[in-house]
Amino acid sequence: MSDRPELDLINLVQRARMAHDDQAKPSQIRGAYWLEAKASPGLRPGPTRHAAEWRATVDLADVDALWETLRAATQAGRLGYKAKVATAAREAAPGRRELRVLVADRHDAAELARVQAELRALTPDLRWELLPD
């Protein structure tokens, strides 16, 4: 038996998870803490050890529509390398959900500004904050 991980199985599980998350509504999911969307391969650099997260909190009534917008923009490479939304299993507060957009490197000021401008354009009513290190 090999000590090497079975990467095909890991990749299969990850693809299945992303396919599930692609169809799921965050207001209705209770079996996972987060739903995730990733940029299509090659569109955004992956995370560094200095990755950053933009965060916003939204009302439950708005989370599904906002997630659809962020999911599509992330997959198209318009935001960071990944976005995620909290589900009912991880409420920020009753009736509220967290949205996060992850950027590869917090030291890349131009990339942070680009993503922030895109977030403002996509979600003008939300207040996004950059989480501290």
Side-chain angles (χ1 to χ4, degrees):
M1 180 168 198
S2 172
D3 288 336
R4 294 181 55 212
E6 179 57 62
L7 296 180
D8 289 340
L9 180 58
I10 293 169
N11 288 331
L12 179 66
V13 169
Q14 288 175 344
R15 283 193 305 273
R17 165 78 192 274
M18 296 311 294
H20 168 268
D21 288 2
D22 199 40
Q23 302 299 317
K25 302 273 187 226
S27 66
Q28 299 170 5
I29 298 295
R30 295 187 184 284
Y33 287 120
W34 298 96
L35 298 178
E36 296 182 352
K38 293 182 180 179
S40 294
L43 293 180
R44 288 277 133 233
T48 67
R49 65 182 194 174
H50 304 290
E53 290 186 65
W54 288 101
R55 175 179 63 189
T57 304
V58 301
D59 288 330
L60 180 59
D62 300 325
V63 71
D64 290 340
L66 287 167
W67 173 241
E68 181 62 27
T69 298
L70 292 178
R71 184 189 62 74
T74 299
Q75 291 172 336
R78 293 175 59 192
L79 296 172
Y81 70 91
K82 180 166 65 171
K84 58 187 188 176
V85 59
T87 67
R90 191 180 190 289
E91 283 186 316
R96 308 276 294 160
R97 296 287 191 278
E98 258 185 42
L99 297 165
R100 294 195 183 186
V101 173
L102 290 76
V103 180
D105 188 342
R106 76 174 40 259
H107 301 299
D108 186 342
E111 179 68 354
L112 289 176
R114 184 194 68 76
V115 171
Q116 183 180 38
E118 193 71 33
L119 288 169
R120 285 181 178 156
L122 290 168
T123 59
D125 296 332
L126 289 185
R127 183 173 96 51
W128 289 89
E129 65 176 324
L130 186 62
L131 295 178
D133 283 337

